Amino acid sequence: MDKFVVRLPRETAAKAKSKSQGKVYKQATIESLQRVVVIEDIERLKVTLELEGQSTRVLLEALTELNKKIPSKQVLLSTKIGHAVNKLKRHEDKEVASLARSIVLKWKHFIQDQDNKPVLEVRCDLKTEKTRTSGRRMLAESLGLEEGHLLPETIERETFHMCRRLLDRGYKRTMRKLIFTLKGNEDTRKLVLNGELAVKELVKSLKCKS
């Protein structure tokens, strides 16, 4: 039997190729799922909102990230993230205040209507928390602040976040670099203390590779 080559119109060929490929699915990460709440992210965003002198841009970035999650009633009570967001409803910037009100309203509706649905909570283990607490203490010393101040905690949490929540070589090297820089460079220290250098920008500029 003779073989023939059938040429299809371009549009028809494109449709045929598309059907043969089928649907393309995008892989989701556990953090991207709305019903999965990483406690570390909630805590990081909470101290970001509570730290004095934060710029409007930083507050909006944190609120936008929070708006993607729906924490359970237990998470709201244990982290007190609701209080931090609620205070911003009276913020002088209208966009910040509006977004804060929207988040509070969404969380309230969730608790009232769907709080019986399961929520997956992801937390750090005790050994990790102990190491991180030690790092915050050294950051406080390098900044000349008392232990427990929000600024060292904010810096450490942002570092942990940028290092993909891993206590690997990259995290440890970045923390050492931050501590030495803040302790030895008076100009950088003043910029951070005065809020002129955002925490996110500080960590990003000093982040080390794993």
Side-chain angles (χ1 to χ4, degrees), residues 55-93:
S55 66
T56 299
R57 177 180 62 83
V58 171
L59 293 175
L60 285 173
E61 285 179 356
L63 287 171
T64 299
E65 194 172 342
L66 274 173
N67 196 35
K68 297 175 183 177
K69 292 296 182 181
I70 304 181
S72 66
K73 183 177 181 180
Q74 290 74 21
V75 172
L76 290 173
L77 291 174
S78 64
T79 62
K80 293 183 170 42
I81 184 62
H83 293 291
V85 177
N86 197 55
K87 287 181 180 179
L88 292 176
K89 293 195 301 182
R90 298 181 293 276
H91 195 274
E92 58 184 11
D93 184 88

Side-chain angles (χ1 to χ4, degrees), residues 11-23:
E11 185 178 349
T12 305
K15 289 182 179 178
K17 183 178 180 182
S18 177
K19 287 182 179 180
S20 65
Q21 289 177 340
K23 293 184 178 180

Side-chain angles (χ1 to χ4, degrees), residues 75-117:
V75 172
L76 290 173
L77 291 174
S78 64
T79 62
K80 293 183 170 42
I81 184 62
H83 293 291
V85 177
N86 197 55
K87 287 181 180 179
L88 292 176
K89 293 195 301 182
R90 298 181 293 276
H91 195 274
E92 58 184 11
D93 184 88
K94 292 182 179 180
E95 192 174 357
V96 171
S98 176
L99 185 52
R101 284 194 294 269
S102 175
I103 292 171
V104 170
L105 187 62
K106 182 170 74 171
W107 289 354
K108 280 185 177 180
H109 285 166
F110 165 74
I111 291 175
Q112 292 171 356
D113 303 333
Q114 305 181 47
D115 195 38
N116 59 328
K117 292 186 177 180

Side-chain angles (χ1 to χ4, degrees), residues 29-31 38 40-41 44 122 124 128 132 156-172 174 203 207-210:
T29 62
I30 191 170
E31 293 89 352
V38 180
E40 168 56 30
D41 284 344
R44 173 177 57 84
V122 183
C124 290
T128 298
R132 296 180 61 198
E156 189 281 326
R157 288 190 183 279
E158 187 63 41
T159 303
F160 191 60
H161 174 69
M162 286 194 183
C163 292
R164 299 169 298 164
R165 294 190 290 273
L166 295 172
L167 292 187
D168 59 4
R169 186 165 173 261
Y171 170 85
K172 294 174 182 177
T174 302
V203 177
K207 185 179 180 298
C208 299
K209 295 182 179 180
S210 300

Side-chain angles (χ1 to χ4, degrees), residues 125-138:
D125 59 85
L126 293 177
K127 184 178 179 180
T128 298
E129 283 296 340
K130 185 177 180 180
T131 301
R132 296 180 61 198
T133 299
S134 176
R136 292 173 199 168
R137 184 169 57 251
M138 288 187 282

